[in-house]
Amino acid sequence: MDASAQAADRELRARRMLDASADGLVHVGPLGQVLDANQTMCRMLGRAPPLVAGSGFADCFAEREQAAKAIDLTVAMGRITDYALTLVDSGGRRLPVSLNAVVLPGGEAEVLVSVRESTDQQELERQLRDAIDRARSLIESSRDMLVTTDDAGGITDLNRQMEALTGRSRGELIGTPFAALFAEPGAADQVVQATLRDGAVSDAELTITHTTGRQTTIDCNAAILRDRHGGAAGLIVTARDMTERKRLEQALRAANVELELANRGKDSFLASTSHELRTPLNGILGFTDILLSEQPGRLNDEQRGQLRIIQYSARHLLSIINDLLDLAMIEQGSWEGDFQPASCREVADEVAAALAPLARDKGLALRVDCVDDDLVAVVDRRALTQILINLVSNAIKFTERGGVRIAVGSRERHGAPAATFDVIDSGIGIPREEQQRLFLAFVRVGQPGAATVEGTGLGLHISRRLADHLGGTITFESEPGAGSRFSLELPCAGPARMRRTICPP
Amino acid sequence: MPARILLIDDTEISLQLARYLLERSGHVVLLARDGREGLGVASRELPDLILTDLRMSGMDGAQLCLALIDDPRLVAIPRVAVTAHATAAAAEDIMSQGFTGYIPKPIEVVSFVRQVEDFLPDGLR
């Protein structure tokens, strides 16, 4: 065999060897063009060899720039290993590959690249690295502090927030005890122990001391980190800076105290003012009554009519002042009941008798229905009377036709007997949109501008507050146009606090 | 038989209203504007009945009541409180201070004179 035949034979052998390789092999020229590729490479690309030669090496990959860079790197460094890229074949399919490359001798910047399909292991490693990177950026992007520890409470990792709060670096802190981060290491250790025991701990308040001495109150949530076998591998602790929140809470508390004081000032002002207002008003009422009694002298019809207007206005003003005084006493907490057993029937009859003239003036029937004349409740009689007067006079006020009924009965409430007083009218009812606001102070129901109904809008509010003090409730049902039913329910034995004082356990 | 009645109140309107009603019924009315003045008038005039407000600046109703009890010449004169705090508990409190009785405020034009006369000795009603 002559020399040229021998050379051809060597080349053929070399060619065979290249083609036999399980890796794709590519000879890349100085301009990044493919000079040659073995069969494996052509198969990986899904193209015939003539189509591969001459094309751009980087064009074979999804990450074109990185592929070009791989070649540059190889030229610069002499070789590269385990360079991860994604090969794209003629059908558009993607194949994760790993590149090894060397510069071919000859100084022409020619490169031999071996392209190996990424094995499962490599791909897993890559995915794992990606997952770790993602987790890391997740941890770092958190506004909260994050710390992980091993099962002995030694710090295994932490984020930048934690570094900022302690003034110490991640490197310094890893391996140190978690509890040592805090001004209260005992309490912090308890958090660790409790988490290991119970699986999680929430809202533990701890204080972190910065290297400069600055202290930060944090709110910790901790959960157990489990290993593959379900055992405790350690903890993950998230913590939030509560300093600002605490400051706000304190400011809020201070504001509340101020408000409370202002409120009390308002109430005692109201109480003393109401008292001062009543005295002259009683003078007006007294002398008006005297003039109307005609003791000082005879009155003509005009004078009598005018005096009645004075009397009516003064009485109205007095009732408003009395309402305000009552409210002030209740709000001030200085309301004290005089709790005595009272006959429910008797109280209802008294109220009906007192308001009978009012009902008669409007041509309305007013009656009391009582199922049990012996029903007795421990109440402050004046408060009960006041509530019923309010409910019944409201009923009369808002009823033009028909009548008002006071139904007295009893029922079980929380396993104890309760007296019930239902005030039922056939009046205009309460518009649905007003029902929510009915018991608020100064709310008056009715069309604006309709001058027929007077009052301060305090009656129901006071009634409900008084009912509270009696241990009871006021509820209502109303059908606009068909009437209303207000129900007062009182525990027969009096309010719970009274029962405690009367019958000690 | 007209009685000599001492009215003590630091509110002029209340004083005048009660005075009018009592004088209308034929009684002789003496006036004082606080406890101290009332005590002076009482020792000088020895009235048949003393009606006093409770809340007054200077000597208040309760202090006056004690001073009246302490004076052997005055202790027999009925002492009646006229008060706005007429709850059962307040009434008990008033009686325990040594008052003979009380009349609720505001005074009722129709019934005031009768309420007052109920406290007068039998011969003076």
Side-chain angles (χ1 to χ4, degrees):
Chain A
M1 203 183 280
D2 62 13
S4 68
Q6 279 178 357
D9 188 43
R10 265 204 305 279
E11 172 144 0
L12 191 65
R13 281 163 190 256
R15 185 84 229 163
R16 285 268 160 83
M17 274 170 69
L18 289 178
D19 284 342
S21 165
D23 293 343
L25 295 171
V26 190
H27 181 188
V28 181
L31 301 173
Q33 78 279 30
V34 176
L35 298 176
D36 195 4
N38 71 350
Q39 281 184 352
T40 310
M41 190 68 209
C42 295
R43 204 176 52 243
M44 284 164 85
L45 286 169
R47 280 186 267 176
L51 290 175
V52 174
S55 63
F57 173 75
D59 295 338
C60 301
F61 299 92
E63 310 90 342
R64 203 168 295 173
E65 278 176 27
Q66 268 171 283
K69 215 166 96 192
I71 300 302
D72 292 345
L73 259 176
T74 311
V75 173
M77 312 285 292
R79 65 160 55 231
I80 57 167
T81 52
D82 294 333
Y83 197 96
L85 286 173
T86 312
L87 194 73
V88 182
D89 76 5
S90 59
R93 267 193 307 273
R94 289 160 170 264
L95 186 68
V97 292
S98 170
L99 268 53
N100 285 352
V102 288
V103 178
L104 290 172
E108 294 287 341
E110 291 181 11
V111 173
L112 178 66
V113 184
S114 89
V115 179
R116 177 175 292 183
E117 219 178 304
S118 288
T119 60
D120 286 352
Q121 184 60 34
Q122 278 169 316
E123 177 59 14
L124 275 178
E125 275 172 20
R126 206 173 118 196
Q127 283 177 1
L128 192 63
R129 261 198 309 278
D130 284 353
I132 290 171
D133 286 348
R134 263 201 305 278
R136 186 82 229 155
S137 46
L138 208 62
I139 286 170
E140 291 300 351
S141 71
S142 169
R143 272 184 58 237
D144 293 341
M145 285 134 282
L146 290 168
V147 185
T148 55
T149 74
D150 56 31
D151 60 350
I155 294 175
T156 52
D157 205 353
L158 48 98
N159 67 353
R160 266 184 229 114
Q161 311 287 345
M162 199 69 204
E163 290 180 320
L165 211 64
T166 53
R168 294 160 71 193
S169 71
R170 187 160 167 262
E172 277 177 88
L173 288 171
I174 286 178
T176 63
F178 170 74
L181 289 173
F182 300 96
E184 320 90 334
D189 195 51
Q190 275 176 13
V191 170
V192 173
Q193 298 311 324
T195 309
L196 289 172
R197 189 182 61 233
D198 304 333
V201 162
S202 46
D203 295 327
E205 203 176 287
L206 292 169
T207 312
I208 284 192
T209 310
H210 191 266
T211 45
T212 58
R214 185 189 69 210
Q215 295 207 319
T216 311
T217 310
I218 59 162
D219 182 58
C220 276
N221 288 306
I224 212 159
L225 279 177
R226 300 209 176 269
D227 61 21
R228 260 176 310 145
H229 312 294
L235 304 184
I236 177 154
V237 184
T238 68
R240 182 162 289 184
D241 183 350
M242 301 297 283
T243 315
E244 183 62 6
R245 165 109 166 255
K246 273 203 115 62
R247 200 184 59 72
L248 280 174
E249 274 174 9
Q250 263 163 12
L252 204 61
R253 258 201 297 277
N256 268 337
V257 167
E258 239 167 74
L259 208 62
E260 176 67 16
L261 285 176
N263 220 0
R264 258 189 248 162
K266 180 206 77 184
D267 289 339
S268 67
F269 169 76
L270 207 56
S272 65
T273 306
S274 298
H275 190 78
E276 294 305 317
L277 287 171
R278 283 208 289 192
T279 308
L281 202 49
N282 287 329
I284 295 171
L285 271 168
F287 280 107
T288 308
D289 288 353
I290 287 169
L291 289 172
L292 277 168
S293 75
E294 302 199 353
Q295 287 179 45
R298 297 293 300 260
L299 298 170
N300 64 33
D301 286 350
E302 196 177 13
Q303 289 167 330
R304 193 175 300 110
Q306 288 163 347
L307 282 168
R308 285 205 191 286
I309 292 172
I310 295 176
Q311 186 186 48
Y312 172 83
S313 307
R315 278 189 189 157
H316 183 207
L317 188 53
L318 187 62
S319 77
I320 292 172
I321 292 167
N322 285 340
D323 276 357
L324 287 173
L325 185 64
D326 280 338
L327 187 63
M329 300 268 279
I330 293 169
E331 304 257 332
Q332 215 174 348
S334 61
W335 188 91
E336 275 177 32
D338 181 9
F339 285 87
Q340 305 289 342
S343 154
C344 296
R345 157 115 230 180
E346 217 175 274
V347 176
D349 281 342
E350 277 172 14
V351 168
L355 295 174
L358 202 61
R360 208 178 309 121
D361 284 353
K362 291 187 78 174
L364 299 173
L366 172 61
R367 72 167 205 270
V368 176
D369 288 338
C370 187
V371 289
D372 176 7
D373 285 351
D374 298 325
L375 186 63
V376 167
V378 175
V379 291
D380 175 87
R381 193 175 179 126
R382 190 178 157 266
L384 174 56
T385 306
Q386 193 177 349
I387 296 169
L388 289 179
I389 291 222
N390 179 261
L391 297 182
V392 176
S393 62
N394 271 350
I396 295 172
K397 221 187 271 181
F398 291 100
T399 304
E400 295 306 323
R401 246 189 302 279
V404 175
R405 195 160 65 87
I406 309 171
V408 183
S410 60
R411 74 174 69 119
E412 282 258 315
R413 182 176 179 239
H414 308 314
T420 58
F421 299 82
D422 290 347
V423 177
I424 305 144
D425 68 52
S426 55
I428 56 171
I430 301 152
R432 298 223 184 284
E433 61 277 15
E434 305 264 24
Q435 296 190 356
Q436 293 283 327
R437 307 188 304 133
L438 200 58
F439 287 92
L440 301 178
F442 302 108
V443 166
R444 297 185 51 198
V445 173
Q447 298 84 356
T452 51
V453 176
E454 64 191 20
T456 49
L458 283 172
L460 275 177
H461 180 70
I462 292 173
S463 295
R464 179 165 266 188
R465 299 294 297 265
L466 285 174
D468 283 349
H469 282 287
L470 300 182
T473 55
I474 299 179
T475 53
F476 72 94
E477 297 161 28
S478 184
E479 189 59 42
S484 307
R485 168 200 289 259
F486 280 79
S487 305
L488 168 67
E489 200 174 293
L490 301 173
C492 289
R497 63 191 163 78
M498 294 292 304
R499 289 202 289 279
R500 271 202 298 279
T501 53
I502 289 171
C503 359
Chain B
M1 178 87 184
R4 295 166 69 247
I5 299 171
L6 170 57
L7 292 178
I8 308 166
D9 200 318
D10 62 350
T11 312
E12 196 60 30
I13 299 167
S14 307
L15 213 51
Q16 295 306 333
L17 181 58
R19 186 183 75 153
Y20 178 85
L21 292 170
L22 293 171
E23 285 183 346
R24 241 356 257 198
S25 302
H27 298 295
V28 176
V29 177
L30 308 165
L31 299 179
R33 269 82 180 173
D34 69 34
R36 174 96 33 222
E37 191 190 340
L39 189 61
V41 176
S43 354
R44 209 164 52 235
E45 302 284 341
L46 298 176
D48 299 312
L49 177 69
I50 298 168
L51 289 177
T52 182
D53 188 18
L54 286 181
R55 294 206 335 195
M56 293 180 289
S57 52
M59 182 188 271
D60 68 12
Q63 291 167 315
L64 170 67
C65 184
L66 290 178
L68 291 171
I69 291 168
D70 280 349
D71 190 326
R73 293 187 311 140
L74 303 178
V75 67
I77 304 172
R79 305 167 292 273
V80 177
V82 183
T83 173
H85 314 280
T87 61
E92 220 168 88
D93 193 39
I94 289 164
M95 302 306 282
S96 71
Q97 286 170 24
F99 283 101
T100 316
Y102 71 93
I103 293 172
K105 244 186 187 177
I107 62 176
E108 293 272 345
V109 168
V110 195
S111 55
F112 178 67
V113 174
R114 192 177 38 73
Q115 288 175 314
V116 173
E117 287 177 344
D118 279 349
F119 291 105
L120 284 173
D122 284 345
L124 293 173
R125 289 188 188 170

